[in-house]
Amino acid sequence: DQQVKQNSPSLSVQEGRISILNCDYTNSMFDYFLWYKKYPAEGPTFLISISSIKDKNEDGRFTVFLNKSAKHLSLHIVPSQPGDSAVYFCAASARQGGSEKLVFGKGTKLTVNP
Amino acid sequence: EADIYQTPRYLVIGTGKKITLECSQTMGHDKMYWYQQDPGMELHLIHYSYGVNSTEKGDLSSESTVSRIRTEHFPLTLESARPSHTSQYLCASSPTSRYYNEQFFGPGTRLTVL
């Protein structure tokens, strides 16, 4: 049973517009969430994270929003650039439970068209 | 900047061969991980280590084995490769921290077993 779900396998947006990638989770013990970006033939690269004590974290063009009651988080990229085209993975961990293992979603492939 | 290395990057090998996938990091991280990922799927944790002489199996059952004799080195071995082992193998590491547990990934090894 998937604990972290990314229901959109792919997303296509125009350069300069906003990209919104969504992620849902089922385990209420998760208290730390991360987004990774992955180019083909490379390993994932950490992008941004958020603790469950916050509902928003911003880093430049990237903002992550967390809605704990809905068990939902989203990554906003504004403005989107062609170089943002990659697969984005959502990940979660339950640090309060003593586990530092990450549980990943299946990823969303973002394509930013010039 | 994360410095974590994996060799080989690509490996095509016949059934029944013994293989070792190398992973090294120069960041002095205590924690290291091995993930397996198939195209379009999530990353699955197959092994992890929280320090020298400490290894644990991950959430996905794997016929591979690992060792952690030195902090910087975390090799993965398959005694007898089979076509079902064809996948991408990603190594990661993270520091011991009470505040965050982002993991830094290597570039991965794409394994094909014929």
Side-chain angles (χ1 to χ4, degrees):
Chain A
D1 183 32
Q2 269 196 290
Q3 297 186 69
V4 176
K5 298 178 184 179
Q6 294 178 256
N7 292 320
S8 298
S10 62
L11 174 68
S12 183
V13 300
Q14 285 300 119
E15 181 178 6
R17 307 295 287 268
I18 184 171
S19 295
I20 300 176
L21 296 99
N22 294 303
C23 178
D24 297 294
Y25 62 96
T26 57
N27 189 341
S28 57
M29 295 298 292
F30 288 149
D31 56 6
Y32 193 74
F33 305 89
L34 308 89
W35 284 95
Y36 282 84
K37 176 180 178 181
K38 185 179 187 297
Y39 293 117
E42 294 184 13
T45 303
F46 170 74
L47 200 55
I48 192 169
S49 63
I50 188 166
S51 165
S52 60
I53 63 173
K54 295 185 175 182
D55 55 18
K56 177 183 174 181
N57 188 26
E58 190 173 353
D59 184 2
R61 296 186 297 114
F62 302 92
T63 302
V64 56
F65 295 91
L66 175 63
N67 182 333
K68 283 201 307 181
S69 61
K71 293 190 177 68
H72 176 83
L73 64 155
S74 60
L75 175 68
H76 293 211
I77 305 173
V78 181
S80 301
Q81 299 173 353
D84 296 329
S85 297
V87 177
Y88 289 78
F89 288 95
C90 173
S93 71
R95 297 189 67 225
Q96 287 186 1
S99 171
E100 296 193 28
K101 294 186 284 184
L102 296 181
V103 179
F104 285 83
K106 291 186 177 182
T108 295
K109 182 178 181 180
L110 173 66
T111 302
V112 180
N113 301 303
Chain B
E1 183 177 330
D3 293 311
I4 180 164
Y5 308 97
Q6 290 186 245
T7 57
R9 293 292 311 276
Y10 302 91
L11 179 62
V12 180
I13 201 163
T15 297
K17 298 291 186 182
K18 177 180 179 178
I19 59 169
T20 297
L21 308 184
E22 301 288 350
C23 176
S24 295
Q25 51 96 5
T26 59
M27 298 171 283
H29 289 170
D30 289 325
K31 299 180 176 64
M32 295 189 74
Y33 312 83
W34 275 104
Y35 292 87
Q36 185 175 340
Q37 190 208 6
D38 294 319
M41 300 297 289
E42 60 268 56
L43 281 69
H44 288 289
L45 182 67
I46 52 174
H47 297 283
Y48 63 100
S49 167
Y50 285 172
V52 171
N53 294 325
S54 153
T55 62
E56 301 287 345
K57 290 191 178 294
D59 302 321
L60 180 68
S61 176
S62 174
E63 294 167 347
S64 58
T65 59
V66 293
S67 62
R68 189 88 183 277
I69 299 172
R70 303 197 316 264
T71 298
E72 63 271 21
H73 194 212
F74 192 40
L76 180 145
T77 298
L78 273 166
E79 290 293 333
S80 179
R82 294 206 303 268
S84 61
H85 296 140
T86 295
S87 189
Q88 184 177 38
Y89 292 84
L90 293 159
C91 180
S93 70
S94 65
T96 299
S97 169
R98 59 184 294 184
Y99 297 112
Y100 62 90
N101 60 338
E102 65 189 64
Q103 295 177 13
F104 299 91
F105 283 83
T109 295
R110 171 73 63 186
L111 172 66
T112 302
V113 184
L114 303 176

